[in-house]
Amino acid sequence: MQATAPDTIPPGVSGFADGTGTAAKFHSLLGIATDASGNIYVADQLNNRIRKVTQAGVVTTYGGNGTAGFANGPVASATFDQPSDIAIDAVGNMFIADAGNSKIRRVSPAGEVLAFAGNGYFGNIDDIGDKASFSYPNGIAVDNFGHVYVADHNNNQIRKIEATGYSITPKLTAGLVFDSATGVISGTPTATSSARNYTVTAFNAGGSSTTVVNIWVRSPSNDATLSNIVLSDGTLSPVFSKTRVTYNASTGQPSITVTPTVSTNGAAIKVNGVAVASGSASDPIPLTSGSNIITIDVLAPNLTTTKTYTITVNQTVSSNPNLTDLTLSEGTVSPVFSANTTAYTSTVANTTSSIVVTPVPFSPESTIMVNGVAVANGASSAPIPLVLGPNVITTRVTAENGTTVKTYTLTVTRSASADGA
């Protein structure tokens, strides 16, 4: 049996010649790859060229001019120094192990030669792009995820180049973490640092781009003071001062809200033990007659320093006999209810033989009588029988002071039946 070489393979004579089949010559073939169209690309190391072989066996120079060098740009004018291997990814990027330049070069699908990784100096540094270094890389491969693997000859290592990711320089302040997969900075600084620029680099097989972020880490403030306290009713006495922590106020309202504002952003507030955002009102705080203690606790941004402000709110006896609403179990009042309007009417069907009235007082300490019968605060009256025609229902409200009285009159007309009965 005699083995013969296919016609597309040139004879075993070193040299350089483009041509078809055996007319072509190479010098030290070390790497080979194919593209999606079936073309073969050869790392013709000692000719410092990348050669292309078509399916018809036509050999041409794809890149390099035969002189060792380093020049990016259109592949036809780019130069290489002992290119030793080639790999092509799924989208048509060609990666070249340019051993003599100690660089990994990329040829875009458009035929543009670009620096991909390596600083051109023989070394062994793991980093991004041209910040990394290799020592005579002479083998290369690409996986299905676009990661590039390099046989780093003189370093006796297999190196992996991430297809996509992020890097940051210089190193972040202690306590801050940079996610190289997402580019997110997180964490809590454990040391201070002056304002400093950090360069974030995003990279993929197509290249890289950078942006600069400025980070200044200062010691958390120990300021636990407030810059203001505002009440929904009443006035602080004495006038507010951030250094004074005890105050008095008076109101005739059944409840009150407190709006505290911190002096330093990042401080936390609790009003009567409930968290409240700076500059926002607390939930209504119910008041009883006499003294009511309201505390405002402030925690400084350093999470250690605290300060407590105390407000003693004196709820005075209310002289307000108003209702805030008056509703019926059937029908509605006319006109629309208003605290200052005391006379109302309503009409119900003949089939409605009784009605329930629900008065809502302004003050929870007011007393209410509906048609002379006491009704608990917030409760409804007992059913009130209705005769045909007008029915007068009175709601008498006595204010908390026991002397101020207001009477609301409601005339409910029960309609006659269809047969006039």
Side-chain angles (χ1 to χ4, degrees):
M1 178 182 294
Q2 181 178 0
T4 59
D7 289 342
T8 56
I9 304 300
V13 179
S14 296
F16 170 75
D18 286 335
T20 301
T22 57
K25 293 182 181 181
F26 301 85
H27 195 182
S28 187
L29 310 179
L30 289 187
I32 192 168
T34 59
D35 65 15
S37 300
N39 297 302
I40 298 172
Y41 295 87
V42 179
D44 191 1
Q45 186 189 44
L46 295 186
N47 278 321
N48 298 305
R49 287 179 166 96
I50 305 299
R51 314 287 290 282
K52 178 180 178 180
V53 185
T54 68
Q55 293 191 60
V58 178
V59 180
T60 57
T61 296
Y62 181 68
N65 61 12
T67 300
F70 174 78
N72 290 322
V75 66
S77 58
T79 56
F80 303 89
D81 187 355
Q82 300 179 53
S84 298
D85 201 5
I86 301 171
I88 299 176
D89 68 13
V91 296
N93 290 294
M94 176 187 291
F95 298 92
I96 300 169
D98 195 3
N101 281 317
S102 279
K103 283 179 175 284
I104 307 302
R105 315 280 290 281
R106 181 176 73 88
V107 185
S108 73
E112 187 79 8
V113 179
L114 305 163
F116 183 66
N119 59 17
Y121 297 96
F122 285 72
N124 186 1
I125 298 173
D126 288 334
D127 212 322
I128 303 301
D130 60 7
K131 297 180 180 64
S133 63
F134 302 87
S135 185
Y136 204 81
N138 64 355
I140 197 164
V142 182
D143 67 16
N144 292 335
F145 300 100
H147 301 118
V148 178
Y149 297 86
V150 178
D152 195 2
H153 183 272
N154 289 347
N155 282 321
N156 298 303
Q157 291 178 325
I158 304 299
R159 312 281 291 280
K160 178 182 178 182
I161 304 174
E162 292 288 347
T164 60
Y166 300 83
S167 68
I168 189 168
T169 54
K171 185 178 180 181
L172 289 170
T173 300
L176 293 179
V177 178
F178 183 79
D179 190 327
S180 60
T182 64
V184 172
I185 299 172
S186 61
T188 301
T190 57
T192 60
S193 69
S194 58
R196 189 173 189 180
N197 287 333
Y198 294 84
T199 300
V200 178
T201 302
F203 60 90
N204 58 24
S208 64
S209 61
T210 63
T211 190
V212 174
V213 296
N214 186 274
I215 301 175
W216 181 13
V217 181
R218 295 179 291 179
S219 296
S221 170
N222 63 356
D223 185 1
T225 65
L226 294 175
S227 64
N228 200 12
I229 300 173
V230 177
L231 305 179
S232 58
D233 190 71
T235 303
L236 291 179
S237 178
V239 173
F240 178 81
S241 167
K242 66 169 61 179
T243 58
R244 184 179 180 87
V245 296
T246 58
Y247 298 90
N248 295 297
S250 296
T251 180
Q253 302 295 328
S255 64
I256 197 169
T257 64
V258 178
T259 302
T261 302
V262 297
S263 299
T264 301
N265 289 337
I269 306 172
K270 287 186 177 181
V271 176
N272 279 2
V274 179
V276 174
S278 176
S280 298
S282 68
D283 290 336
I285 301 169
L287 302 175
T288 57
S289 295
S291 296
N292 298 262
I293 304 299
I294 299 175
T295 58
I296 305 173
D297 297 309
V298 185
L299 176 64
N302 66 3
L303 304 181
T304 301
T305 309
T306 61
K307 196 179 198 75
T308 298
Y309 294 81
T310 302
I311 307 171
T312 301
V313 179
N314 181 46
Q315 189 203 42
T316 57
V317 175
S318 174
S319 60
N320 189 332
N322 289 340
L323 293 179
T324 60
D325 201 4
L326 182 65
T327 60
L328 309 176
S329 59
E330 295 287 340
T332 58
V333 299
S334 178
V336 174
F337 183 82
S338 170
N340 294 322
T341 301
T342 58
Y344 298 91
T345 62
S346 182
T347 301
V348 297
N350 175 264
T351 55
T352 302
S353 60
S354 65
I355 197 166
V356 172
V357 176
T358 304
V360 181
F362 171 83
S363 171
E365 303 302 323
S366 298
T367 57
I368 303 172
M369 305 283 284
V370 176
N371 278 2
V373 178
V375 174
N377 194 311
S380 300
S381 70
I384 301 169
L386 298 177
V387 298
L388 293 178
N391 297 262
V392 177
I393 301 172
T394 59
T395 301
R396 187 173 187 271
V397 184
T398 303
E400 183 184 4
N401 63 8
T403 58
T404 309
V405 176
K406 179 178 279 190
T407 300
Y408 293 85
T409 303
L410 170 65
T411 302
V412 179
T413 300
R414 180 182 174 190
S415 301
S417 65
D419 59 6

